[in-house]
Amino acid sequence: MSDDPNQPDPGQPSPAPVAPATNPAWERVKLARHPKRPHSLDYITRLFTDFNELHGDRFFADDPAVVVGFAFFEGRPIMVVGQQKGRDTKQNLFRNFGMS
């Protein structure tokens, strides 16, 4: 037996490595996929005033997954572009699951 307390006893098996309690990368993925996470329209309604959404591209159709419009931010006119995903299956189908 060694006199050094940091050295394992050769007669005893070494302890198994302990996995960390949480995986920070997976925690970020779960947070990004959380169903209650705010979407583009949530931010737009809270940050901007007088938002006027534009629709269609004059040649083909309207893409419900893309939210575009004019608004005011602190009194200055701006253009807002966002990607919108639904909160339930019906909204997700309408918004094409947020894929343009």
Side-chain angles (χ1 to χ4, degrees):
M1 182 167 208
S2 173
D3 292 333
D4 185 6
N6 294 329
Q7 294 293 329
D9 185 24
Q12 297 293 325
S14 61
V18 178
T22 60
N23 180 345
W26 181 243
E27 294 300 320
R28 282 192 172 193
V29 170
K30 289 191 329 187
L31 183 62
R33 293 179 179 174
H34 196 280
K36 299 285 186 185
R37 184 171 181 231
H39 294 224
S40 295
L41 288 175
D42 298 326
Y43 288 111
I44 289 170
T45 58
R46 286 169 179 79
L47 290 173
F48 308 113
T49 57
D50 297 329
F51 176 67
N52 293 312
E53 187 174 355
L54 302 176
H55 293 276
D57 62 2
R58 298 187 311 175
F59 291 110
F60 181 65
D62 184 30
D63 186 355
V66 179
V67 178
V68 178
F70 298 106
F72 287 91
F73 181 69
E74 296 180 351
R76 299 184 73 179
I78 61 162
M79 179 73 152
V80 179
V81 179
Q83 177 183 6
Q84 183 67 19
K85 188 173 153 182
R87 297 201 184 280
D88 58 19
T89 304
K90 185 177 179 181
Q91 288 179 5
N92 273 325
L93 288 171
F94 173 72
R95 298 278 183 187
N96 196 29
F97 293 86
M99 297 180 287
S100 56

